[in-house]
């Protein structure tokens, strides 16, 4: 039987923002439980919860101070159990975020003897040339202890030393804690970076000037990291129910991701290649083809809590077309909360921005707050929310969109209902178009600047906007291909 995650649509819930049950302006676990029927009706298969563990919040939960509890801001362990039980009763799987690269500096491991961390003696100069992903050097001097400690992210996120066997034992216990409670798997934060070069050698310069700041050649992506995932896979496989491991592995070249997906390692890894494409047919097609060629199973992502929303990247119409492209592709898809509502990146005033990226680069990089604004549930926007919602979001609210057959939400619900199966086969297409079939469905996306003709006689299953006899620029359509037989067999 085919494992559930092979074709699943995962819905990312940024817990701090998704749904606020007590009016304090922050999302929480009971809020998610209340909204499960919405997610069931949307048609997703699984939810991914971003970190909800106790945390000082320096990186909004990606700085964990206790891996086996719930932050009071988000609820209690009982709330978690209730959420999990309700999700399962609703037919939704739940994966939780695990953050094994670093902890919070408030974790007792760090305030205590610090033996689980990467540190280096204070000799007067930085231990090496590694930069932090969030700006500045990756080392902070602790004058009291007379040592540097490593942080690939903010100084409040010290990196664990995975050369220490104790760290392995600790994380086995943490994974068991959540597996025993019944989670369906884990999303592994910065999965390629856990093990650092033991010699702490300088990374060869120049550093890549791409958006993939993790694309170092020596410091991370070390062979030893694969032993961790072999151990974790043995552990999750010892539980019933097809638990899944999803790695956040960030490289522009997907062939570097492939080793993580060997049969005894992770089942899935995010494939971010579409996230960094412009609205350009050749670039998108190349990105799809190279991902399919490089990886045994390919996931598809257009948005998450770290990147600019597609309405802002591509434009509103194009974002609707992109939804049809995304949901026609073969394999698991990750949707980010609010993507189904067509929310745009919010241009927040600097004084409300909270992302450590904004703070550490002194505003040079705006950071990720603009895609983390709580989504609007009702036309009347709540009085409090930790990042302000634009007044225009009243019209984009779930309440408003549920009443409109032409809404972004309606388009997503229908697409999720009609999602095709079968292998992807490209069809010949005019320049600037993407045309492929999967079993009896043909997906046509007009990425050019001109309207294009549509095949005659092919019934329209779904269109990103009302169509005449042409497909407008920036539009997409799903057609039923006449005479195309259903082909059984493996899809990827
Ligand atoms: C990746 C997460 O998606 C991001 O939000 C976080 O800041 C970094 N990892 C560090 O944990």
């Amino acid at each position: 039987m085919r494992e559930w995650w092979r074709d699943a649509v995962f819905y990312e819930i940024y817990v701090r923002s998704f749904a606020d049950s007590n009016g304090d302006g922050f999302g929480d676990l009971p809020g998610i439980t209340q909204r499960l029927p919405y997610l069931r009706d949307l048609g997703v298969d699984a939810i991914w919860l971003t970190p909800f563990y106790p945390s000082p919040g320096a990186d909004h939960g990606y700085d964990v101070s206790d891996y086996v509890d719930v932050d009071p801001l988000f609820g209690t362990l009982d709330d978690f159990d209730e959420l999990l039980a309700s999700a399962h009763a609703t037919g939704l799987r739940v994966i939780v975020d695990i953050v094994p690269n670093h902890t919070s500096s408030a974790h007792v491991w760090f305030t205590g003897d610090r033996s689980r961390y990467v540190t280096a003696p204070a000799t007067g100069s930085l231990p090496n040339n590694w930069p932090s992903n969030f700006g500045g050097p990756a080392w902070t001097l602790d004058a009291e202890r007379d040592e540097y400690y490593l942080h690939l992210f903010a100084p409040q996120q010290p990196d664990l030393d995975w050369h220490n066997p104790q760290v392995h034992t600790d994380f086995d216990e943490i994974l068991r804690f959540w597996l025993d409670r019944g989670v369906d798997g884990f999303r592994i934060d910065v999965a390629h970076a856990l093990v650092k070069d033991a010699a702490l050698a300088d990374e060869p310069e120049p550093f890549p000037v791409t958006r993939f700041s993790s694309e170092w050649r020596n410091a991370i992506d070390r062979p030893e990291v694969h032993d961790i995932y072999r151990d974790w896979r043995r552990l999750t496989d010892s539980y019933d129910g097809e638990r899944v491991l999803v790695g956040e592995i960030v490289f522009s070249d997907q062939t570097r991701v492939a080793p993580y997906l060997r049969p005894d390692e992770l089942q899935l890894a995010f494939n971010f290649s579409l996230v960094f494409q412009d609205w350009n047919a050749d670039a998108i097609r190349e990105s799809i083809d190279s991902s399919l060629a490089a990886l045994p199973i390919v996931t598809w992502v257009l948005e998450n809590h770290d990147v600019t929303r597609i309405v802002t990247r591509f434009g509103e119409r194009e974002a609707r077309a992109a939804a049809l492209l995304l949901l026609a592709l073969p394999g698991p898809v990750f949707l980010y909360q609010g993507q189904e509502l067509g929310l745009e990146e919010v241009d927040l005033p600097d004084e409300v921005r909270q992302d450590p990226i904004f703070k550490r680069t002194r505003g040079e990089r705006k950071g990720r707050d603009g895609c983390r604004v709580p989504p609007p549930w009702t036309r009347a926007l709540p009085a409090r929310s930790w990042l302000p919602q634009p007044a225009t979001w009243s019209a984009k609210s779930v309440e408003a969109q549920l009443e409109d057959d032409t809404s972004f939400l309606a388009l997503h619900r229908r697409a999720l209902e009609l999602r095709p199966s079968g292998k992807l086969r490209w069809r010949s297409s005019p320049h600037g178009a993407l045309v492929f079939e999967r079993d009896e469905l043909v997906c046509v996306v007009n990425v050019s600047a001109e309207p294009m003709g549509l095949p005659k006689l092919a019934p329209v299953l779904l269109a990103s906007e009302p169509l005449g006899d042409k497909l407008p620029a920036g539009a997409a359509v799903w057609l039923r291909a006449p005479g195309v037989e259903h082909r059984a067999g493996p899809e990827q």
Side-chain angles (χ1 to χ4, degrees):
M1 214 184 77
R2 218 169 147 71
E3 294 100 331
W4 68 270
W5 39 264
R6 284 198 178 271
D7 305 290
V9 176
F10 293 79
Y11 183 95
E12 179 192 353
I13 292 184
Y14 193 69
V15 175
R16 191 180 178 87
S17 299
F18 182 64
D20 175 7
S21 72
N22 59 5
D24 66 355
F26 296 92
D28 47 46
L29 299 184
I32 300 170
T33 307
Q34 286 166 10
R35 299 295 176 181
L36 291 172
Y38 167 78
L39 297 171
R40 177 202 53 213
D41 295 347
L42 175 60
V44 299
D45 304 291
I47 56 178
W48 147 30
L49 303 177
T50 58
F52 50 81
Y53 316 109
S55 160
D59 190 18
H60 293 159
Y62 285 96
D63 49 322
V64 179
S65 52
D66 179 357
Y67 287 86
V68 289
D69 205 348
V70 172
D71 194 293
L73 187 62
F74 303 134
T76 62
L77 270 176
D78 284 345
D79 292 330
F80 178 81
D81 290 340
E82 195 179 327
L83 163 55
L84 190 59
S86 306
H88 285 164
T90 311
L92 292 166
R93 312 259 184 170
V94 180
I95 67 167
V96 297
D97 217 311
I98 200 82
V99 188
N101 180 66
H102 46 268
T103 70
S104 160
S105 51
H107 198 292
V108 287
W109 297 338
F110 192 74
T111 55
D113 71 6
R114 227 174 255 187
S115 57
R116 292 175 177 83
Y117 293 85
V118 183
T119 57
T123 52
S125 56
L126 291 169
N128 62 27
N129 68 347
W130 300 356
S132 150
N133 276 281
F134 288 172
W139 296 96
T140 287
L141 177 67
D142 183 334
E144 262 174 43
R145 298 203 189 204
D146 204 27
E147 65 184 14
Y148 282 98
Y149 68 88
L150 177 72
H151 52 89
L152 293 189
F153 296 91
Q156 298 89 338
Q157 294 168 294
D159 277 45
L160 287 163
D161 178 7
W162 280 86
H163 295 289
N164 179 346
Q166 182 62 48
V167 174
H168 294 242
T169 315
D170 293 331
F171 271 87
D172 284 354
E173 271 172 34
I174 292 163
L175 296 185
R176 279 186 196 285
F177 178 87
W178 296 104
L179 290 164
D180 288 340
R181 293 196 108 79
V183 301
D184 297 287
F186 299 96
R187 176 265 186 197
I188 306 162
D189 193 56
V190 226
H192 55 288
L194 271 48
V195 180
K196 302 342 180 251
D197 170 26
L200 300 178
D202 272 354
E203 179 63 21
E205 297 199 29
F207 284 97
V209 233
T210 63
R211 284 181 251 210
F212 296 85
S213 53
S214 57
E215 212 138 69
W216 300 356
R217 283 147 286 174
N218 184 57
I220 53 175
D221 189 27
R222 308 283 312 172
E224 304 93 311
V225 77
H226 297 283
D227 296 333
I228 301 174
Y229 300 130
R230 287 190 195 104
D231 287 346
W232 288 13
R233 181 62 181 273
R234 269 194 296 275
L235 177 63
T236 51
D237 279 356
S238 71
Y239 282 78
D240 60 3
E242 298 178 348
R243 319 286 174 118
V244 67
L245 295 168
V246 187
E248 187 210 24
I249 299 169
V250 193
F251 299 117
S252 59
D253 176 1
Q254 293 303 302
T255 59
R256 280 185 78 177
V257 178
Y260 292 82
L261 297 173
R262 286 179 284 212
D264 58 348
E265 297 194 39
L266 310 181
Q267 289 97 335
L268 300 176
F270 295 121
N271 161 31
F272 292 121
S273 46
L274 283 180
V275 170
F276 299 106
Q277 301 314 322
D278 293 331
W279 188 245
N280 171 300
D282 292 342
I284 293 174
R285 180 168 173 162
E286 197 326 272
S287 163
I288 293 172
D289 282 342
S290 54
S291 304
L292 288 171
L295 300 170
I297 177 161
V298 182
T299 66
W300 305 104
V301 182
L302 281 176
E303 282 194 11
N304 65 27
H305 66 284
D306 292 329
V307 299
T308 305
R309 291 210 180 255
I310 47 175
V311 164
T312 307
R313 282 176 9 225
F314 295 156
E316 185 145 331
R317 291 177 64 205
E318 291 80 359
R320 292 176 66 101
L324 292 196
L325 169 68
L326 180 74
L327 292 168
L329 291 169
V333 168
F334 287 83
L335 291 176
Y336 173 50
Q337 67 182 37
Q339 186 175 345
E340 80 282 16
L341 301 176
L343 299 184
E344 75 278 15
E345 189 80 2
V346 182
D347 189 14
L348 293 161
D350 287 355
E351 52 286 6
V352 303
R353 287 193 184 269
Q354 304 197 13
D355 190 345
I357 294 185
F358 179 77
K359 294 182 193 158
R360 276 186 61 83
T361 64
R362 298 204 171 74
E364 200 182 300
R365 285 160 65 195
K366 288 287 178 199
R368 304 157 296 179
D369 295 307
C371 66
R372 298 176 175 181
V373 176
W377 290 100
T378 52
R379 285 196 175 87
L381 300 177
R384 297 173 76 186
S385 77
W386 70 279
L387 289 171
Q389 296 165 307
T392 48
W393 277 14
S394 180
K396 290 195 167 184
S397 64
V398 171
E399 181 186 18
Q401 297 207 28
L402 281 174
E403 289 165 13
D404 177 3
D405 288 347
T406 67
S407 67
F408 255 91
L409 178 56
L411 180 73
H412 279 82
R413 283 169 64 144
R414 191 77 186 115
L416 281 158
E417 216 174 290
L418 297 172
R419 216 172 146 233
S421 54
K423 219 172 158 56
L424 178 149
R425 289 187 176 77
W426 291 105
R427 288 191 163 191
S428 61
S429 57
H431 186 70
L434 297 167
V435 185
F436 61 86
E437 66 179 54
R438 293 189 58 208
D439 285 350
E440 67 282 5
L441 185 142
V442 177
C443 174
V444 185
V445 190
N446 186 354
V447 192
S448 77
E450 301 297 328
M452 54 176 271
L454 279 171
K456 296 221 166 16
L457 299 174
V460 171
L461 290 171
L462 187 60
S464 63
E465 57 185 82
L467 298 182
D469 53 359
K470 297 234 170 200
L471 185 66
V477 64
W478 285 2
L479 303 168
R480 188 187 302 285
V484 180
E485 290 162 37
H486 183 83
R487 289 178 203 87
E491 290 174 22
Q492 293 203 357

